[in-house]
Amino acid sequence: MLFRSQGFSEPEAGSDLADLRCRARLIDGSFAVDGHKVWSSFGQDADRCLLLARTGPQESRHRGLTMMLVDYDSPGLTVRPIAAANGRNEFAEIIFDDVRVPTDRVIGTVGTGWAAAMELLQWERGMFAWQRQAALHGELTAALRGARGTLSSASLGRVGEAYRKIGRAHV
């Protein structure tokens, strides 16, 4: 299953996207990215990151940001799960140490990352809920396949009732 994470929040900036310090410098036809992102929801399960990085001077605030798509298997990229209060790894920190990103991975154009982020954020919470629900349905389906032939008709009835209630809750 393919997942994307958001590389927006930073330890020093929090949710103040105009104060980001993660830097992307254009070197020999690609961006060299250095920085640290935190609180990436389910980032440890992703294969790519929508990264918001500073390509302009710090003083340019939101005008100096660029969004790009970064593969998790890129050399220099490290992902560390962060345990939530419930003990599950629901967040991750992402560390970029001279990670090279081709220029064709820029979303929009260089310097327009703020606009791209604002467009994305209006859909974020709805998509997060959908992604979480899809992942949980996938886990349930896998568990039921593994239990095939071992469940009683009463157990199967309870599973069917749960699915029916879920469907009614979303109508």
Side-chain angles (χ1 to χ4, degrees):
M1 187 177 294
L2 300 176
F3 286 110
R4 307 296 185 262
S5 65
Q6 288 180 358
F8 287 12
S9 296
E10 295 183 2
E12 300 85 19
S15 297
D16 181 3
L17 299 183
D19 198 32
L20 296 183
R21 290 173 172 78
C22 181
R23 190 131 202 74
R25 299 175 325 277
L26 192 56
I27 299 175
D28 297 328
S30 66
F31 286 98
V33 180
D34 291 288
H36 185 179
K37 300 293 183 173
V38 293
W39 307 117
S40 178
S41 297
F42 298 99
Q44 71 283 354
D45 298 321
D47 62 338
R48 292 183 175 162
C49 175
L50 281 170
L51 172 68
L52 196 57
R54 181 154 304 284
T55 50
Q58 191 73 27
E59 301 78 44
S60 64
R61 307 280 295 158
H62 64 277
R63 289 180 300 281
L65 302 176
T66 299
M67 185 179 288
M68 55 190 73
L69 187 63
V70 183
D71 291 328
Y72 265 28
D73 60 0
S74 300
L77 190 142
T78 304
V79 179
R80 295 186 186 135
I82 299 172
N86 61 14
R88 291 190 298 246
N89 293 330
E90 295 184 0
F91 308 98
E93 62 179 327
I94 309 167
I95 300 163
F96 300 85
D97 184 13
D98 196 35
V99 174
R100 297 302 170 118
V101 181
T103 56
D104 66 356
R105 289 301 192 85
V106 169
I107 309 295
T109 58
V110 173
T112 63
W114 179 266
M118 294 303 102
E119 181 70 23
L120 180 64
L121 286 173
Q122 70 179 329
W123 304 104
E124 176 194 21
R125 294 301 172 209
M127 291 306 292
F128 170 77
W130 176 87
Q131 183 179 21
R132 183 69 177 144
Q133 181 180 2
L136 291 173
H137 276 273
E139 287 182 34
L140 179 58
T141 299
L144 289 171
R145 281 191 184 123
R148 185 174 285 160
T150 64
L151 294 175
S152 68
S153 59
S155 294
L156 288 172
R158 287 197 307 265
V159 170
E161 181 64 19
Y163 266 109
R164 188 180 64 75
K165 287 179 181 176
I166 290 170
R168 199 172 350 155
H170 292 101
V171 173

